[in-house]
Amino acid sequence: MKIRVLGSAAGGGFPQWNCGCANCREGRRGWGRARPRTQESIAVSADGQSWFLINASPEIRAQIEACPALWPRADRHSPIAGILLTNGDMDHCLGLLSLRESHPLVVYATEAVHAGFTENNVLYRTLERFPGQVTWRPLELGREQPLGDGLWVTAISAPGKLPVHLEGRRAPSPEDSVGFLIRAESGPRLGYFSGIAGLSPEVEAAIAQAAVVFFDGTFWSSDELGAAGLGTKRAEEMAHWPIGGPQGSLPFVSRIAGRAFYIHVNNTNPILIEDSPERRAVNDAGVQVAHDGLELDL
Ligand code: MLT
Ligand code: MN
Ligand code: ZN
């Protein structure tokens, strides 16, 4: 299986347009100490011809242009055979609306994420320009499903929450946020858990089967936004398990067999600074920080 990291930052990207924090200033300095990153999305393929995206970020057009494998091979064509959504957050869905140039799309999502994106959304009508413009394929929790073109996926409920724009509008559900196990034929599995509030027996069992794991690296610490004066919410209120400290995810992630990468990294996270003590702690634990353009062959 081929894996291409299209974007590795959390919502807002890095640097974030309205942020002048120390990290973002470093990111604007031509990346001596911190590499700019677009919002989280990866592409996977069994054969290198047909690709599936995990998440459709607001920066999807630039991400496709930066990845030649995703370029059209005919006057009207796309190697993108499907798009899988981990949840309904804007940083994961907004890109769908950018793919409105009358191209048939296949989108895999749980019923909760599908409904959250399409109901009462007048902008969704831009993807209803002709019958069959979007084919939604339901992801069922815990059941392996074929994607076609040699890939299989299992969606696993990931402790999470409703997207910010749906909070208070509907009841939370285990389908609001998922992670994926993906395999090509009988090859090794990719585990993808880019947004996760903490562990569950299902998540632990899934990750135990994965040879490579991408994991929620949004925040280093719980009070990262508050301490920097950039917000009031703690990491846990946003359903992101922080990396650092005795309760952090690093000891768990560092025990994951094979290779592990933090992804969905927020612009405030000190691991973005390549020579920071926090980045060193992550690397010393055997974990890497995903970056845009990273290519892996499983
Ligand atoms: C998140 O990852 O918590 C969300 O992307 C936050 C947001 O939608 O602003
Ligand atoms: Mn996000
Ligand atoms: Zn910033």
Side-chain angles (χ1 to χ4, degrees):
M1 181 174 13
K2 296 176 188 306
I3 302 168
R4 302 288 178 263
V5 174
L6 306 179
S8 51
F14 176 67
Q16 179 175 303
W17 69 278
N18 64 343
C19 193
C21 78
N23 270 10
C24 286
R25 290 201 306 276
E26 207 52 68
R28 289 189 182 99
R29 206 171 289 175
W31 78 274
R33 295 176 65 215
R35 213 188 247 260
R37 286 169 163 84
T38 61
Q39 293 166 78
E40 174 230 319
S41 175
I42 70 164
V44 297
S45 174
D47 57 10
Q49 300 295 309
S50 165
W51 291 82
F52 290 81
L53 304 191
I54 300 184
N55 292 325
S57 102
E59 293 163 287
I60 193 164
R61 195 203 71 85
Q63 292 174 337
I64 290 169
E65 291 308 316
C67 183
L70 301 180
W71 293 354
R73 296 192 292 264
D75 282 357
R76 274 287 193 275
H77 169 264
S78 170
I80 300 171
I83 299 169
L84 291 75
L85 302 178
T86 57
N87 64 25
D89 287 352
M90 297 297 273
D91 49 342
H92 295 157
C93 296
L94 209 45
L96 291 177
L97 297 177
S98 293
L99 302 181
R100 65 185 180 284
E101 282 78 19
S102 296
H103 192 90
L105 302 174
V106 179
V107 183
Y108 294 81
T110 63
E111 278 305 336
V113 170
H114 172 202
F117 187 74
T118 55
E119 285 175 6
N120 304 312
N121 178 5
V122 71
L123 295 180
Y124 180 65
R125 299 184 66 207
T126 199
L127 297 179
E128 295 178 315
R129 297 178 181 192
F130 60 89
Q133 188 171 358
V134 183
T135 302
W136 289 88
R137 300 245 163 93
L139 288 171
E140 290 170 39
L141 299 181
R143 191 175 70 81
E144 186 168 77
Q145 303 170 232
L147 290 172
D149 299 327
L151 291 177
W152 281 261
V153 66
T154 311
I156 297 105
S157 179
K161 65 170 196 55
L162 281 164
V164 175
H165 58 278
L166 292 179
E167 281 174 15
R169 296 287 294 264
R170 55 194 306 172
S173 139
E175 289 196 347
D176 289 333
S177 200
V178 298
F180 297 122
L181 266 186
I182 298 181
R183 68 176 171 92
E185 303 300 338
S186 56
R189 287 176 162 86
L190 160 69
Y192 197 83
F193 292 84
S194 63
I196 192 157
L199 291 177
S200 68
E202 293 81 6
V203 168
E204 285 199 76
I207 286 179
Q209 299 175 52
V212 168
V213 173
F214 286 81
F215 203 83
D216 186 337
T218 311
F219 297 114
W220 175 261
S221 55
S222 288
D223 65 344
E224 191 167 303
L225 294 178
L230 298 171
T232 53
K233 285 187 183 164
R234 298 179 68 77
E236 292 78 3
E237 291 175 71
M238 301 175 74
H240 293 300
W241 184 9
I243 297 169
Q247 308 299 323
S249 67
L250 187 56
F252 171 75
V253 175
S254 71
R255 285 195 303 271
I256 293 173
R259 302 177 72 184
F261 295 85
Y262 280 118
I263 198 166
H264 189 275
V265 185
N266 196 58
N267 68 81
T268 50
N269 192 328
I271 67 172
L272 287 170
I273 306 296
E274 314 244 342
D275 58 2
S276 67
E278 293 84 356
R279 167 66 78 89
R280 201 169 317 119
V282 165
N283 291 156
D284 286 351
V287 181
Q288 289 164 271
V289 180
H291 60 81
D292 297 19
L294 180 76
E295 301 188 354
L296 287 178
D297 288 321
L298 255 193

